[in-house]
Amino acid sequence: MSSSLAQTVVPIVAYCASSITMTLVNKLVLSSFQFHMVFFMLAVQAFGSVALMVLANRLGLNVKYRPMNMPDAKTWFPVACSQAFMLYTGGKALEYLNVPLFTVFKNLTIIAVAYGEKWVFDAAVTSLMLASFGLMVLSSIVGAWNDITFNGWGYFWMSFNCFASAIFVIHMRKVIKQVNFKDFDTVYFNNLLTLPLYVVLSAVQENWSGFFAYYSDNTHSAELHSFIRGMLISGVAAFAISYCSPWCLRTTSSTTYSMIGALNKLPIAIFAMMWFPDPVSAGGVLAVLLGFGAGLVYTHAKNVQKRDVPQGAQVLPPPIAMDRLDQRSQSDNSK
């Protein structure tokens, strides 16, 4: 493999691997143990991202970010809170829904963001985008119709997550121009500002007394060790996504980056079907394929629109990732 090809392939593989790992580990941590500690998991991910970013910066790994300061913190804190709401509702949805179905319904967030952008920024919605939206809705209907392990709470939290994701993306797009964040600035501020919030909410809302009582029993020591490993991997994966996303974007292009995000949903669903014991139906597989196709059509529509609109005009966002959405601001800032 030539040096130039390796410089392109390696970051793409790294981004895909970190995204797949993040989604699968989140599902494992939130559904495979006795206690489902969403806020604690988010706190571990926020701490891991900040700690590893600081370490990478000191090691000279091209991780640069703006130091925390009060004016930017005050401006950005509402955005960080909206991200916290988005990540929490996404974690709760992932706790109850299987990963393939989660990937299908996450596409509906794109529709919410698109029409939110149309209302707030007067962004255009093209006929090709409408076709992709139709595929997204169809895939969601097929997925829900063939959901063998139907769970009402999963759909409840998924609905809230779509709403929260749209609010976060639109709010961030409005505020990011005020603070002029670049690359890792958004990741650093989001995680550092929300870390105390996650810690407090975990202490108040999550059953720590039951957690310690359960895992103090030596018969559960193996499960505790698996839980700790899962949390640690989750924290590392959160940083890996934050690092690999701009790395991939710098070595390819925004078009390639968006297409990778759309293509990556299929291996995530396949790995989840292989790893987790959730029943798989032919209708469920069809829903995943329809959702995968919808993502490709939408990505193509977005790239066509980006070529056609004047420089600096507002275009609709790329497909929303299923993992932590820290990388979105980096993609937006690269344009």
Side-chain angles (χ1 to χ4, degrees), residues 3 76 80 90 97 101-102 111 114 122 125 141 171 195 204 226 250 269:
S3 176
W76 196 256
L97 295 178
L101 194 61
F102 181 83
I111 303 176
D122 197 29
V125 177
I141 294 173
H171 190 194
L195 177 57
V204 172
S226 297
R250 283 193 299 267

Side-chain angles (χ1 to χ4, degrees), residues 107-177:
N107 272 341
L108 296 180
T109 304
I110 298 175
I111 303 176
V113 172
Y115 281 96
E117 293 255 339
K118 180 178 175 62
W119 181 54
V120 176
F121 299 111
D122 197 29
V125 177
T126 66
S127 57
L128 194 56
M129 290 175 182
L130 289 175
S132 72
F133 295 163
L135 284 174
M136 292 173 192
V137 172
L138 178 61
S139 68
S140 300
I141 294 173
V142 172
W145 189 265
N146 292 275
D147 185 6
I148 299 174
T149 58
F150 178 85
N151 189 302
W153 282 111
Y155 288 89
F156 171 80
W157 286 112
M158 192 72 249
S159 300
F160 263 89
N161 181 248
C162 291
F163 175 71
S165 299
I167 290 177
F168 167 65
V169 172
I170 294 170
H171 190 194
M172 184 178 67
R173 280 179 174 266
K174 292 182 66 176
V175 176
I176 199 167
K177 294 180 181 179

Side-chain angles (χ1 to χ4, degrees), residues 28-36 215 223-224 226-228 230:
L28 175 69
V29 170
L30 294 175
S31 63
S32 300
F33 300 103
Q34 181 69 22
F35 292 87
H36 307 151
Y215 286 116
E223 181 181 335
L224 176 61
S226 297
F227 178 82
I228 294 173

